[in-house]
Amino acid sequence: MINLSQASKKEIDVVLNDCNWRQTKQRVTLLKTIFDGSDKHFCVNAIEQTLKDHGSFFSYTTLFENLNTLSDKGYLKRITCDKQYFYDTNTCLLYTSPSPRDQRGS
C-alpha cells in the first residue's frame, strides 16, 4: 500500500511521471488524499466530495479519467458493480488455495 500523505516532491513525481501527468496542486491533493496509508474503498462521488472538502475541485470527467489512469497503472483496483465504478487502494492479489467447492467434480 502506498502512503503519500507525507511524501516528498520526488516521491510524488514518481507517480506523476508514471501516469504521464504534469504536477498540479489538484493532482498532488488527489494523490495525497487517496494514498494516505490506509486501505480505502470508494466511488467517484465519495472521493469528489472529500477533495471538495479539502478545497480541491475536479470536473467529474477529469476525476474519473485520473482514477482510471491510476487503475490502469496498477495504483488502484477498479471494481464495476451495477454500472458504477468503485476503486480500492489495496491492489494486492492474494493467492488462496481452491476451496472444497472448487475441487468438486475434478
Side-chain angles (χ1 to χ4, degrees):
M1 175 177 8
I2 300 173
N3 185 350
L4 296 176
S5 62
Q6 302 296 321
S8 68
K9 180 185 179 313
K10 186 176 181 180
E11 292 168 315
I12 289 176
D13 282 346
V14 169
V15 177
L16 293 170
N17 290 333
D18 192 34
C19 293
N20 295 314
W21 291 343
R22 64 182 178 85
Q23 186 172 14
T24 63
K25 183 179 177 182
Q26 286 94 348
R27 283 200 175 123
V28 170
T29 301
L30 173 67
L31 292 174
K32 287 185 173 189
T33 300
I34 293 172
F35 301 110
D36 66 356
S38 61
D39 278 340
K40 284 199 169 108
H41 318 284
F42 58 88
C43 65
V44 177
N45 294 338
I47 199 69
E48 180 184 40
Q49 186 58 53
T50 301
L51 290 166
K52 283 181 183 177
D53 293 346
H54 287 98
S56 189
F57 299 91
F58 283 82
S59 73
Y60 190 84
T61 302
T62 301
L63 180 58
F64 185 72
E65 289 172 354
N66 280 242
L67 292 172
N68 285 333
T69 298
L70 288 167
S71 176
D72 293 343
K73 295 293 183 174
Y75 293 102
L76 291 175
K77 185 175 7 177
R78 181 177 51 223
I79 304 157
T80 306
C81 182
D82 292 332
K83 298 182 182 178
Q84 185 172 3
Y85 290 115
F86 294 88
Y87 299 87
D88 193 322
T89 58
N90 184 358
T91 58
C92 295
L93 297 176
L94 299 176
Y95 173 78
T96 57
S97 59
S99 71
R101 182 189 76 228
D102 296 334
Q103 294 177 349
R104 275 189 243 140
S106 25

mmCIF file of all heavy atoms in Angstrom, residues 43-70:
data_model
loop_
_atom_site.group_PDB
_atom_site.id
_atom_site.type_symbol
_atom_site.label_atom_id
_atom_site.label_comp_id
_atom_site.label_asym_id
_atom_site.label_seq_id
_atom_site.Cartn_x
_atom_site.Cartn_y
_atom_site.Cartn_z
ATOM 1 N N CYS A 43 -16.100 5.330 -4.268
ATOM 2 C CA CYS A 43 -16.627 5.586 -5.599
ATOM 3 C C CYS A 43 -16.210 6.998 -5.993
ATOM 4 O O CYS A 43 -15.691 7.764 -5.175
ATOM 5 C CB CYS A 43 -18.142 5.425 -5.635
ATOM 6 S SG CYS A 43 -19.031 6.625 -4.647
ATOM 7 N N VAL A 44 -16.439 7.349 -7.238
ATOM 8 C CA VAL A 44 -16.032 8.667 -7.737
ATOM 9 C C VAL A 44 -16.699 9.774 -6.923
ATOM 10 O O VAL A 44 -16.045 10.749 -6.543
ATOM 11 C CB VAL A 44 -16.368 8.813 -9.235
ATOM 12 C CG1 VAL A 44 -16.017 10.202 -9.742
ATOM 13 C CG2 VAL A 44 -15.645 7.766 -10.054
ATOM 14 N N ASN A 45 -17.988 9.629 -6.627
ATOM 15 C CA ASN A 45 -18.706 10.671 -5.886
ATOM 16 C C ASN A 45 -18.111 10.902 -4.498
ATOM 17 O O ASN A 45 -18.014 12.033 -4.038
ATOM 18 C CB ASN A 45 -20.191 10.320 -5.758
ATOM 19 C CG ASN A 45 -20.892 10.324 -7.089
ATOM 20 O OD1 ASN A 45 -20.444 10.937 -8.048
ATOM 21 N ND2 ASN A 45 -22.010 9.616 -7.163
ATOM 22 N N ALA A 46 -17.718 9.829 -3.833
ATOM 23 C CA ALA A 46 -17.169 9.952 -2.482
ATOM 24 C C ALA A 46 -15.831 10.681 -2.486
ATOM 25 O O ALA A 46 -15.593 11.568 -1.663
ATOM 26 C CB ALA A 46 -17.023 8.577 -1.838
ATOM 27 N N ILE A 47 -14.952 10.317 -3.423
ATOM 28 C CA ILE A 47 -13.638 10.982 -3.449
ATOM 29 C C ILE A 47 -13.777 12.419 -3.929
ATOM 30 O O ILE A 47 -13.061 13.304 -3.485
ATOM 31 C CB ILE A 47 -12.599 10.169 -4.274
ATOM 32 C CG1 ILE A 47 -11.165 10.592 -3.911
ATOM 33 C CG2 ILE A 47 -12.819 10.302 -5.747
ATOM 34 C CD1 ILE A 47 -10.734 10.208 -2.528
ATOM 35 N N GLU A 48 -14.750 12.669 -4.815
ATOM 36 C CA GLU A 48 -15.003 14.037 -5.273
ATOM 37 C C GLU A 48 -15.399 14.924 -4.099
ATOM 38 O O GLU A 48 -14.900 16.039 -3.949
ATOM 39 C CB GLU A 48 -16.099 14.040 -6.338
ATOM 40 C CG GLU A 48 -16.417 15.431 -6.870
ATOM 41 C CD GLU A 48 -17.565 15.417 -7.855
ATOM 42 O OE1 GLU A 48 -18.553 14.680 -7.636
ATOM 43 O OE2 GLU A 48 -17.480 16.167 -8.828
ATOM 44 N N GLN A 49 -16.267 14.410 -3.222
ATOM 45 C CA GLN A 49 -16.683 15.185 -2.055
ATOM 46 C C GLN A 49 -15.519 15.402 -1.093
ATOM 47 O O GLN A 49 -15.342 16.497 -0.560
ATOM 48 C CB GLN A 49 -17.840 14.505 -1.323
ATOM 49 C CG GLN A 49 -18.410 15.335 -0.191
ATOM 50 C CD GLN A 49 -18.902 16.698 -0.663
ATOM 51 O OE1 GLN A 49 -19.687 16.786 -1.589
ATOM 52 N NE2 GLN A 49 -18.434 17.759 -0.026
ATOM 53 N N THR A 50 -14.711 14.382 -0.865
ATOM 54 C CA THR A 50 -13.550 14.521 0.009
ATOM 55 C C THR A 50 -12.591 15.583 -0.534
ATOM 56 O O THR A 50 -12.071 16.409 0.226
ATOM 57 C CB THR A 50 -12.815 13.173 0.151
ATOM 58 O OG1 THR A 50 -13.722 12.217 0.683
ATOM 59 C CG2 THR A 50 -11.603 13.283 1.053
ATOM 60 N N LEU A 51 -12.367 15.571 -1.835
ATOM 61 C CA LEU A 51 -11.490 16.574 -2.447
ATOM 62 C C LEU A 51 -12.078 17.969 -2.299
ATOM 63 O O LEU A 51 -11.347 18.920 -1.994
ATOM 64 C CB LEU A 51 -11.251 16.236 -3.925
ATOM 65 C CG LEU A 51 -10.387 15.006 -4.165
ATOM 66 C CD1 LEU A 51 -10.496 14.557 -5.617
ATOM 67 C CD2 LEU A 51 -8.939 15.264 -3.787
ATOM 68 N N LYS A 52 -13.374 18.121 -2.493
ATOM 69 C CA LYS A 52 -14.031 19.422 -2.310
ATOM 70 C C LYS A 52 -13.848 19.906 -0.877
ATOM 71 O O LYS A 52 -13.612 21.091 -0.638
ATOM 72 C CB LYS A 52 -15.515 19.342 -2.655
ATOM 73 C CG LYS A 52 -15.800 19.338 -4.126
ATOM 74 C CD LYS A 52 -17.304 19.275 -4.385
ATOM 75 C CE LYS A 52 -17.593 19.206 -5.860
ATOM 76 N NZ LYS A 52 -19.036 19.080 -6.133
ATOM 77 N N ASP A 53 -13.973 18.978 0.074
ATOM 78 C CA ASP A 53 -13.789 19.329 1.486
ATOM 79 C C ASP A 53 -12.376 19.839 1.749
ATOM 80 O O ASP A 53 -12.153 20.596 2.693
ATOM 81 C CB ASP A 53 -14.083 18.134 2.389
ATOM 82 C CG ASP A 53 -15.552 17.725 2.377
ATOM 83 O OD1 ASP A 53 -16.398 18.501 1.882
ATOM 84 O OD2 ASP A 53 -15.854 16.607 2.855
ATOM 85 N N HIS A 54 -11.400 19.406 0.918
ATOM 86 C CA HIS A 54 -10.017 19.863 1.032
ATOM 87 C C HIS A 54 -9.741 21.072 0.132
ATOM 88 O O HIS A 54 -8.599 21.490 -0.017
ATOM 89 C CB HIS A 54 -9.043 18.732 0.674
ATOM 90 C CG HIS A 54 -8.956 17.665 1.709
ATOM 91 N ND1 HIS A 54 -9.655 16.492 1.624
ATOM 92 C CD2 HIS A 54 -8.259 17.603 2.876
ATOM 93 C CE1 HIS A 54 -9.394 15.750 2.675
ATOM 94 N NE2 HIS A 54 -8.560 16.392 3.455
ATOM 95 N N GLY A 55 -10.789 21.616 -0.502
ATOM 96 C CA GLY A 55 -10.643 22.796 -1.341
ATOM 97 C C GLY A 55 -10.083 22.516 -2.720
ATOM 98 O O GLY A 55 -9.567 23.421 -3.384
ATOM 99 N N SER A 56 -10.168 21.286 -3.182
ATOM 100 C CA SER A 56 -9.661 20.913 -4.497
ATOM 101 C C SER A 56 -10.833 20.474 -5.367
ATOM 102 O O SER A 56 -11.604 19.600 -4.978
ATOM 103 C CB SER A 56 -8.637 19.788 -4.362
ATOM 104 O OG SER A 56 -8.000 19.546 -5.572
ATOM 105 N N PHE A 57 -10.956 21.099 -6.537
ATOM 106 C CA PHE A 57 -12.105 20.839 -7.389
ATOM 107 C C PHE A 57 -11.673 20.234 -8.723
ATOM 108 O O PHE A 57 -10.778 20.739 -9.380
ATOM 109 C CB PHE A 57 -12.890 22.136 -7.625
ATOM 110 C CG PHE A 57 -13.416 22.725 -6.354
ATOM 111 C CD1 PHE A 57 -12.672 23.654 -5.649
ATOM 112 C CD2 PHE A 57 -14.635 22.316 -5.837
ATOM 113 C CE1 PHE A 57 -13.142 24.182 -4.462
ATOM 114 C CE2 PHE A 57 -15.114 22.843 -4.653
ATOM 115 C CZ PHE A 57 -14.368 23.782 -3.957
ATOM 116 N N PHE A 58 -12.304 19.147 -9.091
ATOM 117 C CA PHE A 58 -12.107 18.471 -10.365
ATOM 118 C C PHE A 58 -13.456 18.406 -11.061
ATOM 119 O O PHE A 58 -14.475 18.222 -10.397
ATOM 120 C CB PHE A 58 -11.657 17.012 -10.155
ATOM 121 C CG PHE A 58 -10.229 16.817 -9.778
ATOM 122 C CD1 PHE A 58 -9.817 16.954 -8.462
ATOM 123 C CD2 PHE A 58 -9.292 16.472 -10.734
ATOM 124 C CE1 PHE A 58 -8.500 16.744 -8.105
ATOM 125 C CE2 PHE A 58 -7.975 16.257 -10.388
ATOM 126 C CZ PHE A 58 -7.578 16.395 -9.070
ATOM 127 N N SER A 59 -13.454 18.479 -12.377
ATOM 128 C CA SER A 59 -14.688 18.125 -13.072
ATOM 129 C C SER A 59 -14.860 16.626 -12.890
ATOM 130 O O SER A 59 -13.888 15.893 -12.684
ATOM 131 C CB SER A 59 -14.604 18.484 -14.562
ATOM 132 O OG SER A 59 -13.751 17.575 -15.245
ATOM 133 N N TYR A 60 -16.095 16.167 -12.969
ATOM 134 C CA TYR A 60 -16.365 14.743 -12.789
ATOM 135 C C TYR A 60 -15.596 13.927 -13.817
ATOM 136 O O TYR A 60 -15.003 12.897 -13.501
ATOM 137 C CB TYR A 60 -17.873 14.499 -12.896
ATOM 138 C CG TYR A 60 -18.287 13.109 -12.502
ATOM 139 C CD1 TYR A 60 -18.497 12.786 -11.166
ATOM 140 C CD2 TYR A 60 -18.457 12.116 -13.465
ATOM 141 C CE1 TYR A 60 -18.872 11.505 -10.790
ATOM 142 C CE2 TYR A 60 -18.832 10.834 -13.092
ATOM 143 C CZ TYR A 60 -19.038 10.539 -11.759
ATOM 144 O OH TYR A 60 -19.397 9.265 -11.398
ATOM 145 N N THR A 61 -15.573 14.397 -15.061
ATOM 146 C CA THR A 61 -14.884 13.684 -16.141
ATOM 147 C C THR A 61 -13.389 13.598 -15.881
ATOM 148 O O THR A 61 -12.778 12.532 -16.031
ATOM 149 C CB THR A 61 -15.147 14.373 -17.497
ATOM 150 O OG1 THR A 61 -16.553 14.401 -17.722
ATOM 151 C CG2 THR A 61 -14.451 13.661 -18.637
ATOM 152 N N THR A 62 -12.776 14.697 -15.478
ATOM 153 C CA THR A 62 -11.334 14.707 -15.207
ATOM 154 C C THR A 62 -10.998 13.789 -14.046
ATOM 155 O O THR A 62 -10.030 13.030 -14.103
ATOM 156 C CB THR A 62 -10.844 16.134 -14.907
ATOM 157 O OG1 THR A 62 -11.131 16.962 -16.040
ATOM 158 C CG2 THR A 62 -9.360 16.176 -14.605
ATOM 159 N N LEU A 63 -11.800 13.831 -12.999
ATOM 160 C CA LEU A 63 -11.562 12.963 -11.850
ATOM 161 C C LEU A 63 -11.673 11.497 -12.262
ATOM 162 O O LEU A 63 -10.812 10.683 -11.925
ATOM 163 C CB LEU A 63 -12.548 13.284 -10.729
ATOM 164 C CG LEU A 63 -12.412 12.454 -9.455
ATOM 165 C CD1 LEU A 63 -11.016 12.577 -8.861
ATOM 166 C CD2 LEU A 63 -13.467 12.872 -8.443
ATOM 167 N N PHE A 64 -12.710 11.164 -13.015
ATOM 168 C CA PHE A 64 -12.920 9.809 -13.493
ATOM 169 C C PHE A 64 -11.723 9.349 -14.335
ATOM 170 O O PHE A 64 -11.201 8.250 -14.155
ATOM 171 C CB PHE A 64 -14.220 9.748 -14.299
ATOM 172 C CG PHE A 64 -14.611 8.386 -14.754
ATOM 173 C CD1 PHE A 64 -15.095 7.442 -13.855
ATOM 174 C CD2 PHE A 64 -14.508 8.030 -16.083
ATOM 175 C CE1 PHE A 64 -15.467 6.179 -14.281
ATOM 176 C CE2 PHE A 64 -14.878 6.769 -16.517
ATOM 177 C CZ PHE A 64 -15.357 5.849 -15.612
ATOM 178 N N GLU A 65 -11.245 10.205 -15.236
ATOM 179 C CA GLU A 65 -10.091 9.866 -16.074
ATOM 180 C C GLU A 65 -8.837 9.668 -15.233
ATOM 181 O O GLU A 65 -8.047 8.758 -15.493
ATOM 182 C CB GLU A 65 -9.864 10.947 -17.131
ATOM 183 C CG GLU A 65 -10.917 10.951 -18.212
ATOM 184 C CD GLU A 65 -10.805 12.142 -19.160
ATOM 185 O OE1 GLU A 65 -9.962 13.043 -18.914
ATOM 186 O OE2 GLU A 65 -11.570 12.164 -20.134
ATOM 187 N N ASN A 66 -8.634 10.520 -14.225
ATOM 188 C CA ASN A 66 -7.463 10.394 -13.354
ATOM 189 C C ASN A 66 -7.505 9.097 -12.559
ATOM 190 O O ASN A 66 -6.489 8.398 -12.443
ATOM 191 C CB ASN A 66 -7.363 11.593 -12.410
ATOM 192 C CG ASN A 66 -6.763 12.814 -13.049
ATOM 193 O OD1 ASN A 66 -5.720 13.301 -12.644
ATOM 194 N ND2 ASN A 66 -7.415 13.339 -14.079
ATOM 195 N N LEU A 67 -8.664 8.747 -12.029
ATOM 196 C CA LEU A 67 -8.790 7.495 -11.270
ATOM 197 C C LEU A 67 -8.561 6.287 -12.176
ATOM 198 O O LEU A 67 -7.907 5.318 -11.775
ATOM 199 C CB LEU A 67 -10.168 7.415 -10.606
ATOM 200 C CG LEU A 67 -10.415 8.421 -9.486
ATOM 201 C CD1 LEU A 67 -11.872 8.372 -9.041
ATOM 202 C CD2 LEU A 67 -9.479 8.203 -8.312
ATOM 203 N N ASN A 68 -9.077 6.353 -13.388
ATOM 204 C CA ASN A 68 -8.871 5.238 -14.314
ATOM 205 C C ASN A 68 -7.413 5.114 -14.735
ATOM 206 O O ASN A 68 -6.917 4.008 -14.920
ATOM 207 C CB ASN A 68 -9.793 5.359 -15.522
ATOM 208 C CG ASN A 68 -11.219 4.998 -15.163
ATOM 209 O OD1 ASN A 68 -11.455 4.223 -14.240
ATOM 210 N ND2 ASN A 68 -12.174 5.563 -15.869
ATOM 211 N N THR A 69 -6.712 6.221 -14.878
ATOM 212 C CA THR A 69 -5.277 6.171 -15.170
ATOM 213 C C THR A 69 -4.538 5.498 -14.018
ATOM 214 O O THR A 69 -3.691 4.630 -14.243
ATOM 215 C CB THR A 69 -4.703 7.575 -15.422
ATOM 216 O OG1 THR A 69 -5.350 8.136 -16.572
ATOM 217 C CG2 THR A 69 -3.202 7.537 -15.647
ATOM 218 N N LEU A 70 -4.859 5.876 -12.787
ATOM 219 C CA LEU A 70 -4.231 5.244 -11.623
ATOM 220 C C LEU A 70 -4.542 3.750 -11.588
ATOM 221 O O LEU A 70 -3.684 2.942 -11.243
ATOM 222 C CB LEU A 70 -4.696 5.914 -10.325
ATOM 223 C CG LEU A 70 -4.140 7.317 -10.075
ATOM 224 C CD1 LEU A 70 -4.908 8.004 -8.946
ATOM 225 C CD2 LEU A 70 -2.651 7.259 -9.769
#
